């Protein structure tokens, strides 16, 4: 169990965190960042947490190690509200620790999650002691477990279909194709993308619950399983 010394207030929001760089690019992001310290305090008080310095990573979330009142380790994750993150907690709750980190508590309205702390937490991308084939096999086994979740139950919990998401992307690609572009830009690529976004989901042989950001940086070495997919920045 890691001991957490209370960090100085400034240490909770270091200027070099990627989330500050990325979210400061838009007015909406800057507004969320302005309210982030108060949100951290709200969730720390609500769940009675002792917080450590945040993890260095993640482009649209603030994530830090935490200690619960009973001494148990956890991770507090606060995410900039956007559609892709809306059902993150619902999906993790449906998996219920089977192939993914557990949700210990959540506040969907605030896009706040209290998650299981994964230790040692080494990212699969940094597991240089494993061959590429071994990492691919391990990742495939994790996907097999994730895809065993009940797709009907996922829809009942408000998790949307991939086809609905890609239909939105198709509309965006079509709008991009209709814009004025330099003659050397092939706008047919946008139209092809729109076509594939609409057609490919229809070819699926079955419905499964997908992890929306499955990559080596979000597969972490764990004590209770070889690898567990987490959300960005643990």
């Amino acid at each position: 169990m890691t001991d957490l010394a209370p960090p100085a207030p400034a240490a909770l929001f270091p200027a070099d965190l990627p989330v500050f760089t990325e979210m400061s690019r838009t007015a909406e992001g800057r507004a969320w960042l302005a309210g982030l310290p108060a949100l951290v305090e709200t969730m720390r008080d609500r769940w009675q947490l002792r917080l450590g310095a945040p993890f260095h990573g993640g482009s649209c979330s603030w994530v830090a190690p935490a200690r619960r009142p009973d001494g148990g380790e956890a991770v507090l994750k606060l995410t900039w509200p956007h559609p892709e993150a809306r059902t993150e907690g619902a999906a993790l709750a449906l998996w219920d620790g089977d192939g993914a980190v557990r949700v210990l508590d959540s506040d969907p309205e605030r896009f706040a999650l209290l998650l299981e702390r994964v230790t040692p937490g080494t990212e699969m991308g940094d597991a240089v002691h494993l061959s590429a084939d071994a990492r691919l096999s391990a990742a495939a086994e994790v996907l097999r477990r994730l895809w065993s979740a009940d797709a009907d139950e996922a829809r009942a919990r408000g998790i949307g279909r991939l086809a609905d998401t890609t239909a939105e992307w198709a509309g965006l690609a079509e709008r991009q194709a209709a814009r004025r572009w330099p003659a050397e830009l092939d706008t047919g690529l946008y139209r092809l993308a729109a076509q594939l976004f609409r057609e490919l989901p229809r070819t699926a042989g079955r419905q499964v619950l997908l992890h929306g950001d499955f990559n080596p940086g979000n597969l972490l070495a764990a004590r209770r399983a070889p690898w567990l997919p987490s959300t960005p920045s643990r």
Side-chain angles (χ1 to χ4, degrees):
M1 182 176 294
T2 303
D3 188 28
L4 291 179
L12 290 175
F13 309 102
D16 63 344
L17 276 186
V19 66
F20 289 116
T21 301
E22 295 301 320
M23 298 308 302
S24 64
R25 299 180 190 277
T26 66
E28 187 178 15
R30 290 191 293 273
W32 179 76
L33 288 174
L36 181 59
L39 180 58
V40 169
E41 284 301 308
T42 295
M43 302 318 300
R44 173 160 59 181
D45 290 346
R46 174 176 170 179
W47 289 327
Q48 301 178 55
L49 304 174
R50 292 177 58 199
L51 296 176
F55 295 113
H56 189 88
S59 60
C60 64
S61 60
W62 182 94
V63 188
R67 180 71 57 75
R68 305 179 79 188
D70 63 2
E73 291 184 309
V75 168
L76 175 63
K77 178 180 181 182
L78 304 175
T79 300
W80 166 62
H82 61 287
E84 288 81 2
R86 182 180 61 81
T87 56
E88 179 181 354
L92 290 172
L94 180 56
W95 282 317
D96 193 25
D98 185 12
V101 296
R102 291 188 174 93
V103 176
L104 307 177
D105 212 331
S106 67
D107 185 333
E109 294 298 318
R110 292 185 172 93
F111 284 67
L113 294 171
L114 190 63
L115 303 172
E116 169 189 10
R117 177 75 186 271
V118 175
T119 54
T122 307
E123 296 179 2
M124 180 176 279
D126 294 332
V128 295
H129 63 288
L130 296 176
S131 68
D133 285 346
R135 280 179 275 179
L136 283 172
S137 295
E141 173 58 23
V142 173
L143 283 175
R144 184 190 66 78
R145 294 175 64 186
L146 295 179
W147 291 349
S148 66
D150 189 328
D152 291 333
E153 178 62 22
R155 287 192 292 274
R157 296 186 183 209
I159 300 172
R161 299 184 310 143
L162 176 64
D164 296 332
T165 298
T166 55
E168 294 180 7
W169 294 347
L172 175 61
E174 288 165 346
R175 290 192 294 275
Q176 289 291 86
R179 291 177 55 189
R180 285 185 175 273
W181 293 100
E184 58 269 23
L185 181 71
D186 182 7
T187 58
L189 293 175
Y190 284 123
R191 289 188 287 272
L192 175 60
Q195 177 184 346
L196 293 175
F197 280 143
R198 296 189 191 282
E199 293 181 355
L200 287 179
R202 301 172 188 162
T203 67
R206 65 188 179 109
Q207 297 281 320
V208 299
L209 178 57
L210 295 174
H211 186 290
D213 195 13
F214 193 85
N215 68 73
N218 284 336
L219 277 171
L220 307 179
R223 290 174 181 163
R224 67 176 179 85
W227 299 97
L228 288 175
S230 182
T231 53
S233 305
R234 295 174 178 78

